[in-house]
Amino acid sequence: MPGIIRKAKIEDLERVQQFLRRANLGTEGLTAETIASFFIKENDNEEISGTLGIEVIQGIGLLRSLVVSPGHVEEEIIDLLDKMVQLAIEKGIDRIFLATNKAATVAFFELLGFKRVEREELPQEFDHSEHIRHVLNVDNSLFLKLSL
C-alpha cells in the first residue's frame, strides 16, 4: 500500500491517540513529550494507517502501540519495526522489549530476532513504567526481547 512512514510530530498527537483508541489500545504515557518517539504510517490521503512507538526507560526500549489498519501486509509492519530499530540504535539502546497478548504474533516476532522472556526476566527499570504495570495486569501477556 502506498504511503510514507515518518516520525510523529506534536501536531500528530491527537490523531495518534484517536487511532490507538479506535484499536482499543490505551494512550497512557503518550504525551507531547513522548510523541517524538513514535512512527506513523500515513496513506496517500495522509490518514494514519499504522503506528509504532518506543518508551525509553533508563536506556532500555519498550515497544508500544504497534497497530496497523486492516489490509496491511507483513512487509509494512517490518518497515515500521526497521525504522524503530534504527531510532533505538541512534538513542544508544541495546535492548528492546515488547509485550503482546496475542500468542499468534509471537512466531512472527521470533522470525525478526525477538526471543521470548518470562515476566521475571523483565528489567527492574520497568517497575516504574505505567504502561508495563498495565500490561502486567493482563493475564495472558507475553514478553519478547530483541538485543541490538
Side-chain angles (χ1 to χ4, degrees):
M1 292 186 147
I4 63 163
I5 296 174
R6 65 173 176 82
K7 281 183 82 170
K9 300 180 265 189
I10 195 163
E11 300 84 35
D12 298 314
L13 179 60
E14 187 174 323
R15 293 175 53 223
V16 171
Q17 289 172 331
Q18 290 173 352
F19 182 76
L20 295 177
R21 282 189 205 104
R22 283 194 305 272
N24 295 316
L25 286 183
T27 59
E28 64 278 336
L30 179 54
T31 65
E33 291 80 34
T34 61
I35 190 71
S37 292
F38 271 73
F39 282 97
I40 59 175
K41 177 161 179 41
E42 290 179 315
N43 62 25
D44 289 337
N45 297 325
E46 297 184 0
E47 299 166 327
I48 296 176
S49 59
T51 61
L52 178 59
I54 190 166
E55 184 175 344
V56 181
I57 304 164
Q58 297 182 25
I60 303 167
L62 174 64
L63 293 182
R64 54 177 298 166
S65 307
L66 174 57
V67 177
V68 292
S69 296
H72 284 262
V73 294
E74 291 174 350
E75 289 83 16
E76 292 170 312
I77 296 170
I78 292 169
D79 288 345
L80 278 167
L81 286 166
D82 282 346
K83 294 268 191 199
M84 190 55 70
V85 167
Q86 291 171 14
L87 178 64
I89 291 169
E90 289 170 15
K91 291 180 175 272
I93 295 169
D94 64 355
R95 297 175 283 169
I96 297 176
F97 289 82
L98 69 83
T100 183
N101 62 355
K102 295 171 179 59
T105 65
V106 171
F108 174 73
F109 286 112
E110 287 176 336
L111 285 172
L112 299 175
F114 284 84
K115 306 275 187 236
R116 177 110 185 253
V117 294
E118 299 301 321
R119 289 176 186 235
E120 301 78 35
E121 298 175 79
L122 293 175
Q124 288 183 338
E125 292 87 346
F126 285 2
D127 293 346
H128 303 291
S129 166
E130 184 178 336
H131 178 63
I132 279 288
R133 284 195 305 274
H134 172 73
V135 170
L136 288 172
N137 287 325
V138 177
D139 289 337
N140 58 345
S141 290
L142 304 169
F143 300 92
L144 294 107
K145 172 185 170 184
L146 178 67
S147 297
L148 303 177

